[in-house]
Amino acid sequence: MNNRRNFLLSTITFLPILGSVLQSQPTGKKSKEKAYVISTWDSGKEVNEAAFRLLDRGAKAIDAAEEAGIYIENQINCCVGLGGNPDREGKVTLDACIMDHKFQCGSVSFLERIKHPVSVARKVMEKTPHVMLVGKGAQKFALEEGFTLEEEKLSSDAEESYKNWLIESKYKPVINIENQVPDKLPSGKFNHDTMGTLCLDHEGDLAGMCTTSGMAFKMHGRVGDSPIIGSGLYVDGKTGAATGSGQGEEVIRVCGTFMIVEYLKQGRSPEQACRLVIKRIIDINPDKAKSFQVGFIAMTKKGEFGAYSIHPGFSYAVTLQNGTTEVRESDSFFKTS
Ligand code: GLY
């Protein structure tokens, strides 16, 4: 009895504090909407439609996820894949990963001159005892698997950007620059470019992929979050999945997508889960977080979805279970950039 009384008293004493803690928790709108596909950024719309065409015909989520990656890697003017921006030595190096509902996953990073890193990642998953291959080893494996060695040549947009960057040779991240279509981009201001996609199939299985040319003008050899399982992408077939875009180093520090899925397991909504991880990133260094963007998207096994970012301007595409695809802007921690 005493214990219960003490508990009640201490609860009453801390009610105001509890109230403020609850207020600072994410509101995470509970939505009845359900999705089959969700992708990062505006360009995710076409990516979703490519993935959904397969899902609609009964394909598995893993096939739709790979198709999403192939679609965007084919867009030579889209900055993901070989059309993306080079590192500071003028080389385009690609990172990608893929994961299914059974924790099977594959990844490649620092891969040069191969058009579809997402497909090489899938081969790593299916044909090797490993999860991750990098650099020359990844390229050798790709060639053995029948991929073609592409010409070493920058896309015209990337070449122009690189020439402009060389004038000052400084790296300065530009928030949301990856959301702009190349012909609207101020020359020399590409930042980094990442497409992450999550798919849910008619069997109720989840899969995802993440592909990028990484941060523009990065140091040669730099690898970001995108090919790292648990950072750029994570899928837990029993619960949900998450992927994201933005400053990879900051995502790696908090094992971003793994943490989001952990929050989903604790019963948080996808938006709440994304928000909690964004908050973790900001809390490491709130001042520094003013100058970079990270945005996450997440989806549960039931098709509930959500997104959250540090700054405004992070958009995502969602294909709802009624078959329509929309681009939406996520809520963000900072309300103005
Ligand atoms: N998020 C992609 C990268 O930082 O490389």
Side-chain angles (χ1 to χ4, degrees):
M1 186 68 176
N2 263 355
N3 278 350
R4 184 162 185 271
R5 189 163 172 273
N6 285 345
F7 171 77
L8 284 174
L9 278 175
S10 63
T11 307
I12 289 162
T13 311
F14 285 107
L15 266 180
I17 297 172
L18 187 65
S20 68
V21 168
L22 287 177
Q23 270 171 18
S24 71
Q25 292 293 320
T27 51
K29 299 155 215 133
K30 283 263 177 195
S31 167
K32 288 202 171 68
E33 290 181 305
K34 302 277 172 70
Y36 281 130
V37 191
I38 177 167
S39 294
T40 53
W41 302 114
D42 293 13
S43 46
K45 184 169 188 293
E46 289 77 33
V47 171
N48 276 24
E49 285 163 355
F52 186 67
R53 276 194 287 277
L54 287 197
L55 290 175
D56 203 30
R57 296 203 295 262
K60 288 181 183 304
I62 190 74
D63 293 320
E66 183 182 355
E67 180 68 15
I70 290 171
Y71 180 88
I72 197 74
E73 289 164 359
N74 269 334
Q75 310 305 309
I76 201 68
N77 287 319
C78 179
C79 316
V80 166
L82 289 175
N85 282 293
D87 63 20
R88 57 187 58 187
E89 295 183 12
K91 310 247 183 234
V92 177
T93 70
L94 305 178
D95 302 330
C97 71
I98 194 162
M99 187 165 188
D100 76 5
H101 63 293
K102 292 180 176 165
F103 299 98
Q104 298 186 104
C105 46
S107 160
V108 287
S109 65
F110 194 45
L111 178 64
E112 290 180 64
R113 298 177 62 187
I114 301 289
K115 194 170 181 186
H116 290 303
V118 71
S119 298
V120 186
R122 184 160 183 189
K123 294 276 187 207
V124 172
M125 170 177 123
E126 290 178 342
K127 293 203 160 182
T128 79
H130 308 304
V131 166
M132 194 162 189
L133 292 179
V134 308
K136 287 283 173 218
Q139 191 189 66
K140 181 168 179 278
F141 170 72
L143 297 178
E144 283 164 7
E145 286 298 321
F147 291 82
T148 310
L149 197 61
E150 304 291 332
E151 192 187 351
E152 197 168 12
K153 189 175 181 307
L154 295 182
S155 67
S156 51
D157 288 324
E159 191 168 8
E160 193 197 333
S161 259
Y162 183 52
K163 274 189 194 146
N164 281 317
W165 178 80
L166 283 173
I167 297 167
E168 289 194 33
S169 305
K170 272 194 207 148
Y171 179 73
K172 187 169 184 304
V174 182
I175 290 169
N176 294 330
I177 203 82
E178 58 191 304
N179 196 28
Q180 299 182 34
V181 291
D183 61 2
K184 289 190 193 152
L185 275 171
S187 291
K189 290 218 176 146
F190 284 103
N191 194 20
H192 51 268
D193 310 280
T194 307
M195 178 57 59
T197 301
L198 307 173
C199 300
L200 178 66
D201 65 27
H202 289 288
E203 310 255 299
D205 291 330
L206 281 165
M209 76 88 205
C210 191
T211 183
T212 188
S213 53
M215 188 187 274
F217 322 125
K218 60 196 173 187
M219 289 176 71
H220 190 61
R222 180 263 187 192
V223 171
D225 59 318
S226 301
I228 298 177
I229 299 296
S231 288
L233 172 72
Y234 198 68
V235 179
D236 178 328
K238 291 201 174 86
T239 312
T243 185
S245 180
Q247 190 90 355
E249 284 74 5
E250 309 308 324
V251 178
I252 292 171
R253 261 183 252 292
V254 298
C255 301
T257 55
F258 176 80
M259 275 312 306
I260 291 171
V261 173
E262 286 300 298
Y263 284 127
L264 292 178
K265 282 189 197 169
Q266 292 170 15
R268 301 287 185 156
S269 73
E271 184 182 324
Q272 285 173 335
C274 292
R275 186 187 190 278
L276 287 167
V277 176
I278 288 291
K279 188 71 174 49
R280 277 182 181 230
I281 293 173
I282 293 168
D283 285 347
I284 292 170
N285 189 337
D287 266 346
K288 192 176 158 203
K290 288 178 187 154
S291 64
F292 64 80
Q293 174 70 302
V294 173
F296 290 119
I297 57 175
M299 182 155 76
T300 70
K301 191 178 160 52
K302 292 180 190 155
E304 298 141 335
F305 61 92
Y308 204 81
S309 59
I310 298 180
H311 296 278
F314 174 60
S315 59
Y316 64 100
V318 55
T319 300
L320 298 166
Q321 292 195 357
N322 65 14
T324 59
T325 300
E326 294 171 16
V327 172
R328 298 182 181 182
E329 186 168 331
S330 80
D331 198 0
S332 56
F333 184 85
F334 294 114
K335 300 301 177 197
T336 51
S337 38

